[in-house]
Amino acid sequence: AETIIFSGDWIIDSYYNKEDVPETGEMVAAFDFAFSVERTGGDPDYSVCLIAWLTHDNHLYLVDMLRLRTTFPDFSRRALGLCHHHGVVRAIGEANGPQKGLVQQLNEGSRFPITPAKRDKDKITRAAARQSFVEGKRLHIPLSDSDDDLLGSKTHSVIFNPLFDEMTTFPISGHDDTVDACIDLMDLAVSSRPPARPNRIKREIGLDRVYGE
């Protein structure tokens, strides 16, 4: 039997409120592509754009997500539009096989650099390597603004329902497209080095969509 890699308790314990987010950091994104590829039973994969605030101490605060079954031109237009709206300054994109050309095309229409993600290991190995990142409470999903305080419940923003479901059932889930994008973001965070004197970047936009302001 497969062992679930990411515990739901780890993610729930790392939920965040808007006021919890450090002001020092940068907006980053990850792209995962899936076009014209159908699984057995006619259940195609999704293309994903995952956006996060990467802090100077290498924590990821997820901000927004796009998850679609569509053509590359449509996904590219909508994903880049979302990234530009949130002020993304750099990104990483799936670049195995034909996807390398898609990253090149995205770069042509982007206002920020998109680095090809070199996935030279299988998904389970890649996920296991980032298990400690999640367990260490460095991956944060925004709390819903409609929590039932009387019951003391903690729920995340509905935008991230697919990611939470896929993360907490990987590797036995039917889909794992958001997991791929999230692992790429964690790889980006781990490979980033905090500056000796962190710059304070003002977030003029970014969390408004999540909290509806």
Side-chain angles (χ1 to χ4, degrees), residues 5-20:
I5 294 176
F6 302 112
S7 168
D9 290 339
W10 300 342
I11 298 175
I12 292 171
D13 288 344
S14 302
Y15 285 165
Y16 76 90
N17 288 304
K18 185 176 182 179
E19 58 269 19
D20 298 332

Side-chain angles (χ1 to χ4, degrees), residues 79-107:
L80 288 180
L82 192 63
C83 288
H84 294 156
H85 167 75
H86 285 295
V88 169
V89 297
R90 62 187 176 114
I92 188 169
E94 177 186 6
N96 283 8
Q99 281 83 3
K100 184 176 182 179
L102 299 182
V103 171
Q104 293 173 344
Q105 291 183 55
L106 275 179
N107 266 312

Side-chain angles (χ1 to χ4, degrees), residues 45-150:
D45 286 334
Y46 292 84
S47 294
V48 174
C49 171
L50 187 60
I51 300 174
W53 181 250
L54 173 60
T55 64
H56 73 282
D57 56 354
N58 295 358
H59 281 239
L60 284 169
Y61 291 80
L62 301 187
V63 172
D64 212 340
M65 184 174 74
L66 187 68
R67 180 175 180 262
L68 299 171
R69 286 169 170 160
T70 188
T71 62
F72 175 73
D74 182 55
F75 174 75
S76 174
R77 175 182 59 82
R78 296 172 68 173
L80 288 180
L82 192 63
C83 288
H84 294 156
H85 167 75
H86 285 295
V88 169
V89 297
R90 62 187 176 114
I92 188 169
E94 177 186 6
N96 283 8
Q99 281 83 3
K100 184 176 182 179
L102 299 182
V103 171
Q104 293 173 344
Q105 291 183 55
L106 275 179
N107 266 312
E108 292 175 359
S110 173
R111 301 173 189 167
F112 52 87
I114 305 171
T115 303
K118 298 180 180 179
R119 299 176 180 174
D120 54 1
K121 299 178 181 178
D122 65 89
K123 292 185 180 184
I124 295 178
T125 300
R126 292 176 60 240
R130 296 294 166 245
Q131 186 180 51
S132 60
F133 189 100
V134 181
E135 186 177 11
K137 301 180 181 180
R138 294 168 65 189
L139 178 69
H140 309 274
I141 296 179
L143 278 166
S144 169
D145 57 4
S146 60
D147 287 343
D148 188 343
D149 294 332
L150 294 178

